[in-house]
Amino acid sequence: MLRPQDSSTRETKRLDGIWSFQLDGDSAGREAGWFRETLPAAREMAVPASFNDLTADAAVRDYVGDIWYQRTARVPRGWAGQRIVLHFESATHRATVWVGDHEVVSHEGGYTPFEADITEYVTPGEPVRITALVNNTLSFQSIPPGVIEDGPAGQKQVYWHDFFNFAGIHRSVWLAATPQARVEDITVVTGFEGDTGSVEYAVQAVDADGLEVVVALRDAAGREVAAGRGAVGTLAVADVHLWAPGHGYLYDLEVQLVDDSDTVLDSYRQSVGVRTVEVRGTDFLINGDPFYFKGFGMHEDHSTIGKAHSPAHVIQDFELLEWVGANSFRTSHYPYSEDVLDYADRHGIVVIDETAAVGLNMGLGGGIFGGQGYTTFSPDTINDASREVHAQAIRELIARDRNHPSVVLWSIANEPESDTEGAEDYFRPLFDLARAADPTRPVGFVNVMLAPHGTCRVSQFADVIMLNRYYGWYVNTGDLAGAEVAWTEELSGWASEGKPIIITEYGADTLAGNHSLTPAPWSEEYQVDYLDMNHRVFDACDAVVGEQVWNFADFATTSGIMRVDGNKKGVFTRDRKPKAAAFALRRRWRKDA
Ligand code: BDP
């Protein structure tokens, strides 16, 4: 699936704005056929947005179940004779969509795109009713998982991840016109030898009998630097200009379908960054050079809009990343908007790209994030069916993001249970699947403190060790000297594995404006001291190839006695004001500043 695009043969129309919206707590709407007419008791809702924080109503904020979105849209009259597609960049966590009275697509998973060919249900120039039944319930068979438990006052959604279960239509919805004969998918793999780059491409075309694929690669100035014919091929790029961290140089690959008189029937443009990624010993190499990750685990999270994509917020976040001297981030804990990856491509920011498999760990219950008392991997909890949903999430992530040069590493889960036989059995095939889907990038998962070195049975499958550790926060709280000793010792164990280690989370909750002369947890000074201690530990360990602070900014979570208006481990507040730690990191990461 390719993202909708305007080209010489394609057109798009975004359906963002105000939609009709109705909660359906009894799940009555499907049976009653709400898609057949105007929603019976609709209010207005913004798209893209999480619906949760847009009303002054706790019942909406905490709502779990079926959610209806509807609008009419006029199909552009110039689209007659074209193939017409309805494309959702995401709907959290699942959706079924009708066009007029016709059910056209269902999709599971809240952070990857889906689309339907709706040509036969629409008439160019005429309006059409579009209805989406979104559902945000989490179960043991969803990614991320959750469970509905009986509480004293009725049913309640429980989940084991530490961010608020924002839901709705978080990204753009598109109508798109393509030719019938079309480019359906493109894969590029890049490399270089001396000054000559290579762009291996594979094009999947549909309804293209008798047509030929023609490709042209242009540099950033628009000059053609290579060309080819055929659905697969390798282009040689003389005097190649590499994509590199901090240097987001992109070529443009135009893929055309042409007939025998060279008439162009379809055209699609794919940006290409020529670079290589390799793990060698304990080094993480980009273009053959050792790379050290400096940055953050982030969240798509803002007040009002929740998890919605917003270009203004993306620009602001990337400006702050640059200001602080970050060169990378992890899309914790789900695939981000494609616009975010495009931005990272253009600016040379390195991305660890993660699935939404977070909270597959009943050991983390502990009263912090929710319930307890389940076995993580069992026929009644996270089981074979869950693994198939997880597998599909990995396939969809890789299918969507494999052409982004910024993405250098797949993270197939965050902090799952990993010290049991059940975990080993669950993850082995998922690693195989990720490698088969993308043989060009390393694959890893993020290890939790509950499975320290020597006990983890899943890291054997990973190319890179990714560790989340909170010495000095959740353990050795307030005791940075003790934390330093314990952390150094555990890390030296991991270093003996001979793989590169990225510290994907380390952080301390910090209430902006709270100060202390002595190292007191929750103060801005403690966060600075805590980071300094961690940096001493990392700097003493050669196998550490990266540090990503948890978190870039404060973010919303479910309520709990460990969270005060959300998680406060941000180096910036939720509205992106710097804490003292932001300046401290800037001093470490930007020697020039
Ligand atoms: C880790 C999780 C992350 C949490 C963080 C924390 O990976 O999602 O927000 O710890 O507790 O367990 O702040």
Side-chain angles (χ1 to χ4, degrees):
M1 189 196 313
L2 293 172
R3 197 178 189 201
Q5 179 180 97
D6 287 303
S7 76
S8 58
T9 60
R10 295 172 172 235
E11 256 181 305
T12 62
K13 175 175 177 171
R14 269 192 220 240
L15 302 184
D16 300 355
I18 304 285
W19 288 50
S20 297
F21 172 87
Q22 189 169 339
L23 302 178
D24 179 14
D26 302 326
S27 291
R30 189 191 274 263
E31 185 91 339
W34 284 6
F35 49 87
R36 287 206 185 85
E37 50 199 300
T38 308
L39 296 176
R43 65 208 298 176
E44 297 195 344
M45 185 49 65
V47 171
S50 298
F51 65 81
N52 308 78
D53 283 346
L54 293 190
T55 73
D57 185 351
V60 175
R61 177 170 162 89
D62 297 328
Y63 178 82
V64 180
D66 284 353
I67 305 140
W68 292 80
Y69 284 83
Q70 191 177 65
R71 67 164 284 169
T72 56
R74 191 172 289 275
V75 179
R77 66 197 162 105
W79 288 7
Q82 301 279 294
R83 173 177 166 268
I84 298 169
V85 171
L86 176 61
H87 182 101
F88 284 73
E89 290 190 18
S90 69
T92 312
H93 292 281
R94 62 190 61 76
T96 299
V97 179
W98 290 263
V99 167
D101 291 352
H102 308 279
E103 183 175 325
V104 294
V105 66
S106 285
H107 180 258
E108 174 69 30
Y111 305 93
T112 42
F114 55 97
E115 66 180 28
D117 178 340
I118 60 168
T119 317
E120 59 179 310
Y121 307 123
V122 298
T123 308
E126 297 297 320
V128 61
R129 187 178 59 254
I130 296 167
T131 310
L133 167 54
V134 177
N135 178 285
N136 66 344
T137 312
L138 298 175
S139 75
F140 279 115
Q141 278 66 55
S142 65
I143 293 292
V147 69
I148 302 283
E149 286 183 348
D150 289 326
Q155 294 201 315
K156 211 176 155 358
Q157 173 80 71
V158 171
Y159 49 89
W160 304 278
H161 54 268
D162 182 33
F163 54 92
F164 189 79
N165 186 25
F166 283 118
I169 300 179
H170 287 147
R171 300 174 191 159
S172 286
V173 182
W174 306 72
L175 280 177
T178 78
Q180 262 320 322
R182 63 192 182 275
V183 176
E184 185 70 6
D185 218 346
I186 302 169
T187 308
V188 293
V189 174
T190 63
F192 67 96
E193 207 59 76
D195 286 345
T196 307
S198 62
V199 177
E200 251 176 76
Y201 68 90
V203 174
Q204 207 184 310
V206 173
D207 288 340
D209 283 354
L211 302 181
E212 199 180 7
V213 173
V214 173
V215 301
L217 190 73
R218 299 190 183 88
D219 67 14
R223 278 184 299 262
E224 185 170 303
V225 295
R229 291 183 99 89
V232 293
T234 302
L235 305 176
V237 189
D239 296 324
V240 67
H241 197 143
L242 297 179
W243 186 99
H247 187 78
Y249 190 89
L250 295 175
Y251 290 89
D252 179 69
L253 181 71
E254 183 174 4
V255 177
Q256 295 179 330
L257 287 180
V258 300
D259 64 14
D260 43 20
S261 54
D262 265 358
T263 304
V264 176
L265 296 174
D266 193 17
S267 164
Y268 193 90
R269 289 168 57 171
Q270 169 69 54
S271 58
V272 176
V274 180
R275 59 105 183 93
T276 60
V277 174
E278 188 192 337
V279 168
R280 196 185 301 152
T282 58
D283 281 336
F284 194 100
L285 305 175
I286 299 182
N287 299 338
D289 298 327
F291 178 68
Y292 192 90
F293 296 75
K294 295 180 286 185
F296 301 93
M298 297 181 76
H299 264 301
E300 289 184 309
D301 173 88
H302 292 278
S303 62
T304 308
I305 62 173
K307 293 218 163 301
H309 172 64
S310 137
H313 289 105
V314 169
I315 300 270
Q316 183 183 37
D317 283 359
F318 274 106
E319 289 285 339
L320 293 179
L321 287 176
E322 193 190 335
W323 175 86
V324 77
N327 61 13
S328 65
F329 65 95
R330 176 170 59 119
T331 71
S332 42
H333 296 303
Y334 36 81
Y336 286 8
S337 158
E338 290 158 82
D339 286 335
V340 173
L341 298 180
D342 286 343
Y343 191 107
D345 288 347
R346 289 195 301 276
H347 293 263
I349 311 287
V350 172
V351 178
I352 302 175
D353 206 1
E354 187 159 275
T355 68
V358 52
L360 287 71
N361 195 333
M362 300 310 127
L364 278 177
I368 305 177
F369 307 136
Q372 237 188 339
Y374 299 99
T375 303
T376 304
F377 299 106
S378 82
D380 297 330
T381 53
I382 298 176
N383 56 21
D384 290 350
S386 322
R387 185 169 56 195
E388 188 38 45
V389 177
H390 192 162
Q392 184 61 14
I394 295 171
R395 281 186 213 109
E396 289 186 19
L397 174 72
I398 294 178
R400 194 194 72 164
D401 291 349
R402 62 174 183 244
N403 291 334
H404 287 284
S406 57
V407 174
V408 300
L409 171 59
W410 304 114
S411 168
I412 65 170
N414 180 69
E415 296 195 344
E417 176 179 299
S418 64
D419 56 353
T420 56
E421 191 180 348
E424 189 173 332
D425 293 345
Y426 179 92
F427 276 104
R428 182 183 292 108
L430 295 181
F431 275 89
D432 291 346
L433 173 124
R435 288 209 174 83
D438 180 11
T440 74
R441 285 180 182 82
V443 184
F445 83 106
V446 173
N447 163 285
V448 66
M449 191 141 192
L450 298 176
H453 183 250
T455 68
C456 182
R457 297 174 66 154
V458 177
S459 40
Q460 57 174 317
F461 305 128
D463 299 307
V464 175
I465 308 277
M466 290 188 269
L467 303 178
N468 290 354
R469 288 298 182 275
Y470 289 91
Y471 289 97
W473 187 253
Y474 289 123
V475 295
N476 311 109
T477 316
D479 172 15
L480 292 177
E484 188 163 348
V485 173
W487 194 184
T488 302
E489 189 180 318
E490 196 204 336
L491 195 55
S492 70
W494 286 107
S496 70
E497 301 280 319
K499 298 180 184 181
I501 300 170
I502 303 170
I503 312 303
T504 34
E505 287 184 27
Y506 60 112
D509 281 277
T510 304
L511 195 60
N514 182 30
H515 295 289
S516 174
L517 273 176
T518 55
W522 290 94
S523 67
E524 294 200 28
E525 290 73 19
Y526 187 80
Q527 190 181 30
V528 170
D529 289 352
Y530 168 97
L531 295 177
D532 280 350
M533 178 279 287
N534 273 274
H535 297 151
R536 282 195 298 276
V537 174
F538 308 161
D539 291 347
C541 180
D542 287 343
V544 172
V545 299
E547 53 194 50
Q548 292 189 331
V549 177
W550 191 255
N551 187 285
F552 172 70
D554 295 346
F555 57 92
T557 64
T558 184
S559 48
I561 52 167
M562 304 276 283
R563 296 288 174 259
V564 186
D565 186 31
N567 188 309
K568 292 282 187 274
K569 294 192 186 69
V571 162
F572 296 92
T573 59
R574 199 174 184 217
D575 57 357
R576 277 43 179 180
K577 296 203 178 105
K579 301 180 190 173
F583 297 95
L585 283 171
R586 188 167 194 256
R587 282 192 290 275
R588 174 172 168 86
W589 288 345
R590 280 192 66 163
K591 303 281 186 235
D592 63 320

